[in-house]
Amino acid sequence: VAMAERGREEHGAGDAGVEGMHSEQISGDAISAVRSDSTAPLADPQLLDGSSERGGCRRISQESASGGGSFRHRNGLLIMGVVVFVHVLTLATLLGSANGQASTLEGIYRYGHLTWERHGDGVEIVLQTAFRRSSNNDLFKGTAPDGLAAVGDVLTLYGKEPPQLLYGDDSVATVLRMTVTSYSVMEDWVMGELRLRHTYSTPNNGGRPWLVQYVGCCRLSSLTNNADANWAVTAEID
């Protein structure tokens, strides 16, 4: 019995020793966990990259150490993007200026009339046309006291789509210059005339008249109907 009791006591002491060792192991892990967590962020590393707690802490620390470089790199890209945008915007502005005022012109066309008569082997086409007189475009400057067009001045017609004369046989007069025949300061219009000669290869267009067209853009901006629209004045020649 005494031996049995002593055996039970030794066995109990052994169990206590095992339990003591287990407690010390838990305490050691806890201390280790506290030490490793002391440099970790408040967020759970498992939620950040799915790694172990210590591995997650090391990864977070590495990302924190390289974060400044990444931020500077992003800032560099941002600044570079801003600089490129400014250069592109400046280039677009310069190109717009190089294209002249055509892209921002208001409609100034008021009237057009076509007639024709035979002239030797060809025809002479007479175009009478009128525009708004007031203009900031140098093409409509003239010798009148106000610096604008007067009778006898020669004006080059212009517009968002420059006026042209289509002869109907693939020939085109792309630059039209009219001689001023009349104008009104009060009513703000100027009228002129131009004469163009042309010779067709055949008397008619395969049995049909040649179709002449005076086209351009844009109609007077102050019109109630068709303001700033294209125009087309036609005549048939045979």
Side-chain angles (χ1 to χ4, degrees), residues 162-232:
Q164 298 180 339
L165 189 76
L166 314 180
Y167 291 103
D169 62 351
D170 296 330
S171 300
V172 182
T174 57
V175 180
L176 302 180
R177 296 184 176 90
M178 74 173 187
T179 301
V180 176
T181 56
S182 58
Y183 69 95
S184 171
V185 175
M186 182 176 297
E187 297 178 354
D188 195 19
W189 56 263
V190 58
M191 180 179 290
E193 180 181 281
L194 57 154
R195 294 174 176 265
L196 301 169
R197 293 185 181 182
H198 185 69
T199 300
Y200 291 95
S201 58
T202 58
N204 53 56
N205 186 17
R208 295 175 298 174
W210 296 105
L211 182 64
V212 179
Q213 300 182 74
Y214 169 47
V215 299
C217 185
C218 298
R219 296 175 183 267
L220 199 65
S221 298
S222 59
L223 294 176
T224 301
N225 298 314
N226 299 320
D228 292 315
N230 291 65
W231 77 80

Side-chain angles (χ1 to χ4, degrees), residues 91-173:
L91 179 60
T93 302
L94 292 175
L95 290 176
S97 299
N99 287 332
Q101 302 176 358
S103 61
T104 58
L105 294 176
E106 292 183 342
I108 61 171
Y109 171 78
R110 301 192 64 157
Y111 167 81
H113 179 66
L114 281 172
T115 60
W116 65 276
E117 58 185 27
R118 295 198 177 276
H119 194 279
D121 294 335
V123 297
E124 184 176 65
I125 299 170
V126 181
L127 169 62
Q128 293 179 329
T129 187
F131 292 85
R132 191 184 71 195
R133 183 171 177 268
S134 61
S135 171
N136 293 325
N137 195 304
D138 290 341
L139 295 175
F140 268 32
K141 301 299 183 184
T143 60
D146 59 2
L148 299 178
V151 174
D153 289 340
V154 177
L155 307 181
T156 299
L157 307 186
Y158 73 94
K160 287 184 178 180
E161 294 179 16
Q164 298 180 339
L165 189 76
L166 314 180
Y167 291 103
D169 62 351
D170 296 330
S171 300
V172 182

